[in-house]
Amino acid sequence: MRWIARFYRVCLCVVAMVCFDAITCAQLAAQTSAVTGDESDAATDSPEKDYAAELPRIPSQSPEEELGSFEVLPGFTVELVAAEPLVTDPVAFAFDGRGRLFVVEMNDYSEQETESLGSIALLTDRDSDGKMDERSTFVSGLSWPTAIWPWRDGVIVAEPPRLTWFRDTNSDGKSDTFEVWFEGFQRSNVQGLVNSLRWGVDGFLHGATSSSGADIVARDTAQTKLQLRGRDFAIDPLTETLEPESGGGQHGMNFNRWGDKFVTSNSDHLQQVSDLDRWLSDHPANVAIPSLRRSIAEDGPQAEVFRASPIEPWRIVRTRLRKSGVAPGIVEGGGRAAGYFTGATATLIMDHEAGFGSANFDTAIVCDVGSNLVHRKQLRSNGLFWTASRIDDQAELLRSSDIWFRPVQLGDGPDGAVYIADMYREVIEHPKSLPPMIKKHLDLTSGRDKGRIWRLKPKDLAQRLPVPSKSIAECTNRELVERLSSVIAWQRRAASQALVERNAQDVAPELKSLVAKSDAESSVAAQILALHCLHRLGQLDRARLAIAMKSADPYLQRHAIALARQTGLADSMFDVLQSLSQSTDASVQLQLALTAADLPHQQRLELLQGLMHSRESLVRAVIVTAAGIEAPQLIAGRRLEPPELQAWLELMLPAWTKTTGDQAKQISQALIAGLSDDAMRPSWIVGLRSLPTASDARRLLALADSATAKNTLAFIADSIAEVQGLDSSDSVAWLGLLDEKLQLQFADDLLMPAQSETIQLAAIDSLLWANPNVASQLLIDRFQSFTPTLQQASLNGLLRYQSALPTLATAIAEKKIRTAQVPPDIRVRLLSTSDKTLAKRFAGVLQSVAADRQAIIDQYSTALVARDAQAGREVFKRVCAQCHRLDEMGNDVGPPLKQLADKSPQQLLETILDPNREVDPKYAGYSVLLQDGRVFAGIIAEESSSQIVLAEAGGKKHTLARSEIEQLRSAGISLMPTGLEQQITPEQMSQLIGFLKNADHDRN
């Protein structure tokens, strides 16, 4: 059969040579080998092997040839704006008010960080034909420059570690003076440098810090360094000051017309950020704050892309080497070298009027530099955060068959078109991610002398968005105010910036008039810009804010509310603010909650109480934080439906356990009111039971008067007595609130085999919550009478409490719990416990010996024949669904299973039986020991400067304050346990593989 495979590869190579003249036959042969599954190359892979024959160099194309390589959707066109030698290695750009194009040239990418090869090029279109024909080197000798924005007679440039204003004071097209505004941007990752300077609708300049972070020190000051790890920044260029703001994207940041912020990361291609950074610094949260940065793409962070270019040979070889273990690194995409977002590098939000998507919805445009394409999505409002859905079925807005096409940054221009910075490089990849045996055959500087900028636009753009005859620089101040209403987003933003630059006090009346116009007379986007211009000019007044708040448009309302807070005018506008409290728009609700925090006592409570109908989790967290010590008054005596009341109590009660003084009195009043009301009492008890520990609940319950506490405990005891024998666990969950004697009395009955499994599980959980030391001995004594489900629940529960582990070790040593009854995942956690002495003890009692994984995999070779998929569904449900979701079964804890059908049966078998062969750091298991002795295990789903969110097997998430963490550690191994062969026979494994390989899954 080998000669057939070779013949097939040769035929494909011939066809490819006809279709892609610039691609060598050797390259296509390497790719075909990967596609057809030939393992002949993999069998000889080693660190010492010479891979030169598999890594041919790919020749570049001329700008005209590259233009011919583009495949663009019908109705769109691509035009060349500039190319070498006029420009090389463009990574960022911006048009100034005169229509000139400033371009950042990062010629020292990626390993020449000490050579200072970067420049700023100033390109001019002298004959107005849409193509740049003159270049002036505005600045040279820069090291790793990454971002740019025009300001007055020059440009602000990010050149880490500095952010510098380069000026041209004599108008000769070259910078003759400069000022370093800020220093401290880090340079640890060439693909994680400060980037994406953008003018916001708020009249400030914004930028993305990226993964390298920053410790900022302003010019001419000795102030404490401002740390920007995981945060972005906003600059006031008038005062040359910088403030942190929420962020965390990697490369590519932009705003829509409403001021919503969107960011990009390599393999999380479209995210949205809600900025609360400055507010939270002034109002420290006492509750868990939901993530401020969220992925919004419906098809997932690492969604499918449909490239037209062949896969680079080095990418194919690297994937094969990683799969075989010859080279370290994550095997992404189910072992596929491409076909999904791996290098998302830019985001641009286009108004729907521009014609880049639906006639009714704005469009998000995202580049994938590794796949040589430009992708688009439709944006739909979904509360605070938008959702984005793919527009094109198995196609892209723009894609190239030339692998040198490297769209690294996007921007719009004076004509409303999309402009693309094409770095045009043979290889774009982080040097450290290239194995040495591959890297030595590549030239990472290839293309340093090339670069292009393209214009992408609908063919009818000129009819859609007529371009004004005057440039921004030529406009009078009054004409700039008129330009705020332009249908071209770039013109609106540039006009607002020019008004700020000029300190255009003379047009304050015109700006006020614009705000006051009806929606039919003016666009809301223009009114928002006018509001912020007035603010920046110091001319914003209460009357204009009131007009905007009374508008029917929630976007305008939210900006007016935010500005009322920033200007200190909110106190005098309480009636207007209160009238908006019943708004169903989450962004309006959020701004009202933020504003309420600084209102006088009574006004604050009234406004926050009016917002308690909000269903948005972030708004609710802000409401509680804004209320501060008065939060109990928000719910004291309120008639809320049980689910609503429980949700609020679960949010508030953890913070109340740490309070004393005046708030303790308010908590006491709220407790008495809630626990004395027959209708509300169960919800309050559920809230108490949701607290981290029983001691927390008892501490709160003690704040109520003795009669209320006594009646509550009697109600709990009666409820538990009534539920016995029924298949309901609601009241049993309250067991831990009773005193220890009553708990044990009830436990004798609740843990009897005659009780339903639901009731027994609830009793186990509540007993451990109440007193893990007492419960551990009780559960061990009954362990052999438990079903496997109850045994697993008992072991998982004991693992959560450090103090219970010695008792568990003794029980295993004394054979009260047999080694075979300890599942693989629990065994791994016991052996990796943070207490080294205890871990050694478990190693002894569990007789842990490192298994030969490959020998076990070989024993299961019969499973490589996929069998009954329906039976495999049941195996998946039993063994895998705790951490993985497929066909709407299971939980999203482990990696998404989207590309499983593309894995071979052998790869699936290795992944299941040897999960630590390749561990994605995002899914490495962590153990967290809290100061109160509780232990949690899972993956870190989210983290911020103040908290981490841990997702455990089963899908439950725990928000843990960093201040309460005693120890956080990872063994560097997968959350998925080694040793699943103890739970899956070879026959069941074949059924599971059959289920996973079923191509009809609706994979999540």
Side-chain angles (χ1 to χ4, degrees):
M1 296 297 291
R2 187 176 296 273
W3 71 269
I4 295 176
R6 287 179 182 147
F7 176 77
Y8 179 57
R9 291 200 303 275
V10 171
C11 290
L12 281 182
C13 188
V14 172
V15 172
M17 289 179 67
V18 174
C19 297
F20 306 105
D21 293 336
I23 308 298
T24 66
C25 184
Q27 177 195 0
L28 265 296
Q31 293 176 50
T32 308
S33 173
V35 172
T36 57
D38 188 355
E39 301 293 333
S40 59
D41 291 322
T44 61
D45 283 338
S46 73
E48 295 76 28
K49 180 179 175 180
D50 185 353
Y51 290 89
E54 293 187 70
L55 300 171
R57 299 292 301 280
I58 310 301
S60 64
Q61 299 183 17
S62 69
E64 294 73 22
E65 290 171 328
E66 187 188 10
L67 181 59
S69 78
F70 288 142
E71 178 184 319
V72 63
L73 290 177
F76 292 88
T77 185
V78 183
E79 300 167 347
L80 182 65
V81 176
E84 69 276 2
L86 212 60
V87 65
T88 58
D89 279 338
V91 297
F93 60 86
F95 287 92
D96 73 354
R98 295 161 60 182
R100 302 180 301 174
L101 183 60
F102 286 90
V103 182
V104 177
E105 298 177 315
M106 193 179 182
N107 303 104
D108 41 7
Y109 176 87
S110 58
E111 295 183 293
Q112 288 71 48
E113 61 178 301
T114 63
E115 298 180 28
S116 299
L117 303 176
S119 302
I120 304 299
L122 173 55
L123 306 183
T124 307
D125 177 10
R126 290 296 182 188
D127 57 8
S128 301
D129 65 349
K131 189 171 182 179
M132 300 297 167
D133 41 42
E134 182 177 291
R135 171 199 172 100
S136 174
T137 301
F138 195 77
V139 182
S140 61
L142 303 179
S143 176
W144 281 0
T146 52
I148 192 168
W149 197 259
W151 178 249
R152 290 181 172 165
D153 56 5
V155 286
I156 301 168
V157 177
E159 39 148 358
R162 293 172 292 276
L163 193 142
T164 306
W165 180 28
F166 291 98
R167 303 180 61 190
D168 175 13
T169 60
N170 59 10
S171 301
D172 66 350
K174 297 181 180 180
S175 172
D176 48 62
T177 186
F178 67 90
E179 299 174 8
V180 176
W181 283 3
F182 309 102
E183 291 197 67
F185 292 100
Q186 302 300 309
R187 296 164 58 94
S188 59
N189 179 358
V190 69
Q191 293 185 349
L193 303 173
V194 55
N195 64 90
S196 301
L197 294 178
R198 298 284 185 261
W199 189 261
V201 300
D202 59 356
F204 291 84
L205 183 63
H206 301 257
T209 305
S210 196
S211 58
S212 291
D215 293 299
I216 298 298
V217 176
R219 175 170 57 99
D220 299 331
T221 71
Q223 68 181 28
T224 303
K225 291 182 178 179
L226 175 63
Q227 187 183 79
L228 293 183
R229 178 183 172 186
R231 299 191 290 174
D232 291 343
F233 58 91
I235 296 170
D236 184 348
L238 294 175
T239 60
E240 300 172 17
T241 54
L242 179 149
E243 289 190 10
E245 63 182 18
S246 304
Q250 184 178 357
H251 188 94
M253 180 272 288
N254 220 294
F255 298 92
N256 64 7
R257 70 179 100 185
W258 317 122
D260 297 315
K261 181 176 177 178
F262 300 84
V263 298
T264 298
S265 295
N266 273 352
S267 52
D268 194 345
H269 69 286
L270 189 58
Q271 306 159 70
Q272 185 184 341
V273 176
S274 183
D275 179 26
L276 295 188
D277 191 273
R278 283 167 281 187
W279 188 86
L280 286 171
S281 68
D282 295 332
H283 308 85
N286 56 0
V287 296
I289 299 294
S291 175
L292 301 178
R293 177 165 59 99
R294 304 184 193 179
S295 294
I296 62 171
E298 289 184 345
D299 47 357
Q302 208 166 4
E304 296 284 320
V305 295
F306 300 93
R307 60 189 292 168
S309 54
I311 305 171
E312 301 95 325
W314 65 263
R315 199 178 292 275
I316 295 170
V317 174
R318 184 181 67 176
T319 298
R320 191 181 76 225
L321 294 179
R322 285 179 172 180
K323 286 166 58 179
S324 65
V326 173
I330 300 167
V331 180
E332 295 183 306
R336 295 186 300 161
Y340 45 91
F341 273 105
T342 60
T345 54
T347 298
L348 180 63
I349 310 301
M350 296 298 291
D351 300 346
H352 64 79
E353 293 91 345
F356 283 88
S358 167
N360 300 312
F361 298 96
D362 290 352
T363 305
I365 302 177
V366 185
C367 296
D368 190 319
V369 70
S371 299
N372 323 114
L373 57 83
V374 179
H375 173 85
R376 64 176 181 165
K377 278 187 159 64
Q378 177 177 276
L379 290 174
R380 290 178 179 270
S381 179
N382 185 26
L384 279 181
F385 292 84
W386 297 78
T387 57
S389 57
R390 168 177 274 279
I391 297 175
D392 309 302
D393 184 20
Q394 300 193 16
E396 304 295 350
L397 176 58
L398 171 68
R399 54 187 180 181
S400 173
S401 59
D402 181 4
I403 67 166
W404 282 62
F405 173 52
R406 303 295 185 183
V408 295
Q409 191 57 279
L410 296 170
D412 55 352
D415 57 351
V418 170
Y419 288 78
I420 304 167
D422 175 9
M423 199 173 182
Y424 207 72
R425 285 276 189 134
E426 184 178 0
V427 178
I428 285 189
E429 185 67 17
H430 197 293
K432 292 183 179 179
S433 73
L434 293 168
M437 65 282 277
I438 291 178
K439 184 179 177 183
K440 67 182 180 180
H441 296 293
L442 305 177
D443 179 3
L444 300 189
T445 69
S446 178
R448 180 189 290 177
D449 59 342
K450 296 176 173 59
R452 290 92 194 253
I453 295 176
W454 303 97
R455 180 189 298 109
L456 171 65
K457 63 181 184 179
K459 292 179 179 178
D460 63 351
L461 183 66
Q463 289 74 43
R464 286 177 172 273
L465 308 179
V467 180
S469 58
K470 278 188 177 182
S471 71
I472 289 292
E474 296 170 323
C475 288
T476 66
N477 288 349
R478 283 177 173 78
E479 288 171 333
L480 289 176
V481 175
E482 294 173 0
R483 196 66 62 89
L484 294 178
S485 299
S486 172
V487 290
I488 300 175
W490 184 93
Q491 295 284 345
R492 297 195 302 266
R493 290 195 309 271
S496 81
Q497 178 177 339
L499 288 168
V500 173
E501 283 186 3
R502 298 179 188 182
N503 190 26
Q505 298 289 332
D506 60 309
V507 293
E510 286 81 358
L511 290 168
K512 292 179 179 180
S513 176
L514 177 56
V515 172
K517 287 184 177 180
S518 67
D519 294 346
E521 296 174 301
S522 177
S523 73
V524 173
Q527 292 173 301
I528 290 172
L529 289 171
L531 274 178
H532 285 286
C533 284
L534 285 168
H535 176 223
R536 297 291 276 132
L537 295 173
Q539 295 289 336
L540 186 59
D541 56 32
R542 184 184 182 281
R544 242 46 57 181
L545 289 173
I547 289 170
M549 287 185 200
K550 293 175 181 178
S551 162
D553 189 275
Y555 296 117
L556 185 56
Q557 289 174 349
R558 86 182 197 201
H559 282 274
I561 297 166
L563 286 169
R565 174 170 58 88
Q566 294 172 35
T567 56
L569 294 172
D571 289 12
S572 63
M573 304 186 68
F574 177 72
D575 290 345
V576 184
L577 295 172
Q578 181 74 345
S579 69
L580 294 173
S581 63
Q582 293 305 306
S583 171
T584 57
D585 185 88
S587 63
V588 171
Q589 295 168 358
L590 179 61
Q591 289 302 326
L592 287 170
L594 296 171
T595 301
D598 299 316
L599 293 176
H601 163 74
Q602 193 57 41
Q603 290 183 347
R604 178 170 67 251
L605 284 181
E606 286 183 28
L607 184 53
L608 292 175
Q609 285 175 336
L611 292 169
M612 290 188 66
H613 62 92
S614 176
R615 299 300 181 93
E616 169 60 51
S617 59
L618 181 56
V619 174
R620 291 186 171 198
V622 169
I623 288 172
V624 177
T625 301
I629 65 171
E630 295 160 334
Q633 294 186 38
L634 295 177
I635 57 174
R638 286 179 64 89
R639 287 286 179 177
L640 297 174
E641 292 298 318
E644 284 293 289
L645 179 57
Q646 289 174 24
W648 283 107
L649 289 172
E650 289 175 12
L651 180 63
M652 293 180 180
L653 293 185
W656 293 0
T657 63
K658 303 177 180 66
T659 57
T660 57
D662 291 340
Q663 189 180 23
K665 296 178 183 177
Q666 297 187 40
I667 293 171
S668 174
Q669 294 170 0
L671 278 165
I672 293 170
L675 292 172
S676 301
D677 187 301
D678 291 343
M680 294 195 296
R681 184 187 298 114
S683 295
W684 277 85
I685 294 173
V686 170
L688 291 170
R689 176 59 182 85
S690 70
L691 288 166
T693 67
S695 59
D696 290 329
R698 295 188 189 107
R699 190 178 303 117
L700 276 186
L701 191 56
L703 293 177
D705 60 76
S706 58
T708 301
K710 183 178 179 181
N711 291 338
T712 300
L713 294 176
F715 173 81
I716 291 172
D718 291 343
S719 300
I720 295 174
E722 291 175 3
V723 84
Q724 294 187 58
L726 303 176
D727 190 17
S728 173
S729 62
D730 291 348
S731 300
V732 176
W734 307 342
L735 177 64
L737 290 165
L738 302 175
D739 63 61
E740 185 178 309
K741 182 178 179 181
L742 269 177
Q743 288 177 34
L744 295 177
Q745 288 177 6
F746 276 118
D748 282 338
D749 292 328
L750 295 174
L751 294 178
M752 293 292 289
Q755 298 284 4
S756 72
E757 188 176 83
T758 303
I759 284 181
Q760 293 186 71
L761 286 171
I764 290 171
D765 183 61
S766 195
L767 288 166
L768 283 166
W769 174 76
N771 193 329
N773 294 328
V774 172
S776 60
Q777 192 59 59
L778 175 65
L779 297 179
I780 287 168
D781 290 343
R782 292 176 176 259
F783 193 83
Q784 297 304 330
S785 67
F786 286 162
T787 64
T789 299
L790 298 174
Q791 289 180 346
Q792 175 116 359
S794 299
L795 292 172
N796 273 320
L798 292 171
L799 271 168
R800 187 162 293 165
Y801 301 96
Q802 190 81 358
S803 61
L805 295 185
T807 305
L808 179 58
T810 299
I812 297 173
E814 294 176 353
K815 309 293 186 189
K816 291 182 179 179
I817 299 175
R818 300 189 178 278
T819 302
Q821 292 175 311
V822 182
D825 58 328
I826 292 178
R827 186 178 307 211
V828 169
R829 288 173 60 187
L830 291 174
L831 295 174
S832 60
T833 182
S834 58
D835 186 325
K836 293 182 179 179
T837 302
L838 202 53
K840 185 176 180 181
R841 187 178 174 192
F842 276 118
V845 298
L846 291 171
Q847 299 178 339
S848 176
V849 179
D852 182 351
R853 291 285 97 199
Q854 191 57 50
I856 293 172
I857 291 170
D858 292 342
Q859 291 173 15
Y860 274 68
S861 59
T862 56
L864 295 180
V865 179
R867 298 185 183 176
D868 186 354
Q870 186 57 39
R873 173 186 289 271
E874 297 305 312
V875 179
F876 177 89
K877 185 176 181 181
R878 175 172 60 86
V879 180
C880 311
Q882 268 204 318
C883 293
H884 297 282
R885 193 158 80 94
L886 199 58
D887 276 6
E888 299 184 356
M889 286 189 301
N891 299 287
D892 290 313
V893 179
L897 304 184
K898 189 172 185 179
Q899 288 96 15
L900 278 184
D902 299 299
K903 282 197 172 190
S904 68
Q906 178 68 34
Q907 292 166 350
L908 286 170
L909 186 66
E910 292 172 355
T911 298
I912 295 168
L913 294 179
D914 191 6
N916 294 315
R917 183 169 292 193
E918 292 288 346
V919 182
D920 186 335
K922 292 184 294 187
Y923 299 103
Y926 279 80
S927 176
V928 181
L929 172 63
L930 299 185
Q931 293 172 353
D932 61 14
R934 288 180 295 146
V935 180
F936 294 88
I939 65 166
I940 296 179
E942 299 175 17
E943 62 176 321
S944 68
S945 59
S946 61
Q947 64 188 30
I948 68 170
V949 178
L950 206 71
E952 65 179 20
K956 187 173 182 179
K957 291 185 177 180
H958 302 275
T959 300
L960 308 175
R962 289 187 183 274
S963 59
E964 298 177 355
I965 296 176
E966 180 75 25
Q967 189 176 69
L968 172 68
R969 66 189 297 267
S970 172
I973 59 177
S974 172
L975 186 65
M976 181 174 173
T978 300
L980 286 180
E981 67 274 3
Q982 298 177 29
Q983 296 178 278
I984 306 177
T985 66
E987 174 70 17
Q988 292 169 338
M989 182 69 76
S990 69
Q991 295 167 351
L992 176 61
I993 290 175
F995 174 65
L996 297 177
K997 288 288 291 178
N998 184 349
D1000 294 331
H1001 289 318
D1002 177 20
R1003 292 182 179 80
N1004 295 283

